[in-house]
Amino acid sequence: MKYRQLNLARIREKVTDIKESLAFLRQYAMQNDETFLKNKEAVHAARYSFIVLIEAAMNIANHFCARLLDKAPETYAETFLLLGEEGIIDPQLAQRLAQMAKFRNLLVHGYGKVDDRRMLRSMREDLSDVEAFIREITKIVMEAEEKNNG
């Protein structure tokens, strides 16, 4: 794989943002349903954490599309789909991350339509996809560092 000047510091910064948001969301996911859903501050904080997490992941994906594929995705979801099509990340993972990008759009543009129960379920069941994304990104970063240092 060719590494056209990946901005490794920027990628690391975004991975840190993702990890911090993951930790926050996992804390809320441990609460029972009604405790979480009745706490408006917790619900809003979880929504914000999802936005930060997904934005950071999309930022990394866009950077990879530009630097590794020399492509500009037309949608946020497409950033992940292109990486999956090109074998940079697992194609099935790319599909699931594309759905998260769509969820981000709902959070940002249509707060009234967000199903907080569904969001809580996603906090409990889907965050492993983001962790898998981080693992795949970390491998690429390590390869780029080896190439740059070797």
Side-chain angles (χ1 to χ4, degrees):
M1 181 181 313
K2 63 178 186 170
Y3 300 101
R4 288 186 28 208
Q5 302 297 316
L6 285 176
N7 185 335
L8 301 178
R10 177 178 172 191
I11 294 166
R12 280 190 210 92
E13 176 185 311
K14 296 301 173 188
V15 167
T16 297
D17 290 345
I18 292 169
K19 287 179 178 179
E20 287 173 358
S21 293
L22 279 170
F24 195 73
L25 289 167
R26 288 211 183 280
Q27 271 188 305
Y28 279 125
M30 290 188 294
Q31 295 180 2
N32 78 33
D33 290 14
E34 295 312 311
T35 300
F36 174 77
L37 294 169
K38 287 181 181 178
N39 183 340
K40 294 289 185 197
E41 285 183 30
V43 169
H44 286 283
R47 288 179 182 184
Y48 179 74
S49 292
F50 258 117
I51 292 168
V52 170
L53 176 141
I54 298 166
E55 288 277 341
M58 289 185 318
N59 190 286
I60 293 169
N62 271 320
H63 186 65
F64 278 29
C65 285
R67 300 294 173 96
L68 302 179
L69 305 178
D70 202 24
K71 293 183 179 180
E74 293 184 21
T75 66
Y76 291 132
E78 188 181 13
T79 62
F80 298 109
L81 297 174
L82 284 172
L83 295 180
E85 288 170 9
E86 297 292 332
I88 292 174
I89 64 173
D90 176 78
Q92 292 176 335
L93 175 61
Q95 290 287 334
R96 293 189 303 273
L97 293 171
Q99 291 303 312
M100 275 196 163
K102 292 176 183 178
F103 180 54
R104 172 258 178 219
N105 290 341
L106 179 63
L107 287 169
V108 171
H109 301 294
Y111 281 107
K113 299 175 188 171
V114 174
D115 179 345
D116 293 325
R117 283 192 186 279
R118 182 183 169 282
M119 180 179 69
L120 182 57
R121 187 173 59 246
S122 182
M123 289 162 54
R124 292 176 176 152
E125 299 171 4
D126 300 332
L127 296 179
S128 60
D129 290 333
V130 179
E131 292 167 333
F133 178 68
I134 290 173
R135 283 191 300 275
E136 294 198 24
I137 294 310
T138 300
K139 288 179 195 172
I140 295 167
V141 167
M142 290 173 62
E143 288 174 19
E145 288 175 329
E146 287 176 15
K147 185 176 181 202
N148 291 342
N149 295 330

